[in-house]
Amino acid sequence: QVQLVESGGGLVQAGGSLRLSCAASGRTLSSYTMGWFRQAPGKEREFVAAIYWSGSSTDYANSVKGRFAISRDSARNTVYLQMNKMTAEDTAVYYCAARFGWSAVRSRDVYRYWGQGTQVTVSS
């Protein structure tokens, strides 16, 4: 029903920037929340950021506030995650997710659709 494809992952130096993209297809997203999660080796998948498609309400994990920014392009059905001042702690597989509505956006369990993930590695 909704397919999500991430791109933009790769290797970046500490202090650098990277922008992830998540292209959605299958339906319009006017009443959906789009989220970014990440999972480092040996750790559970954790919330990073979310945006409500209509109205652009956003939420961020405390660990990325002031460094990351989530946005969306309605014409392209694409959500972005701009990551700045990156550190080794940002190294993880990043996943794009989507769910209907806007509530409990930090919970993995509320998201119905998930992308395949893209690796982000911060080196020094």
Side-chain angles (χ1 to χ4, degrees), residues 1-118:
Q1 187 175 354
V2 177
Q3 294 82 46
L4 306 173
V5 180
E6 299 99 333
S7 62
L11 182 67
V12 64
Q13 298 223 36
S17 298
L18 201 64
R19 189 180 75 161
L20 304 182
S21 299
C22 174
S25 62
R27 62 152 296 153
T28 58
L29 302 170
S30 59
S31 298
Y32 274 67
T33 294
M34 305 295 295
W36 285 100
F37 290 77
R38 66 187 183 186
Q39 187 166 22
K43 293 191 173 184
E44 293 189 1
R45 193 170 301 183
E46 67 174 353
F47 170 78
V48 177
I51 185 168
Y52 188 60
W53 203 265
S54 297
S56 298
S57 296
T58 59
D59 192 27
Y60 295 92
N62 289 336
S63 60
V64 306
K65 285 182 179 178
R67 298 191 299 119
F68 291 10
I70 188 170
S71 61
R72 88 281 191 272
D73 185 335
S74 295
R76 296 182 178 272
N77 268 13
T78 300
V79 64
Y80 304 96
L81 183 67
Q82 178 66 49
M83 304 183 289
N84 301 317
K85 300 178 180 179
M86 299 185 72
T87 74
E89 285 67 45
D90 297 320
T91 295
V93 176
Y94 283 70
Y95 296 90
C96 179
R99 54 75 64 94
F100 180 82
W102 173 265
S103 65
V105 299
R106 298 185 178 190
S107 173
R108 299 187 303 271
D109 296 336
V110 304
Y111 292 86
R112 180 178 179 87
Y113 307 101
W114 293 84
Q116 80 287 350
T118 184

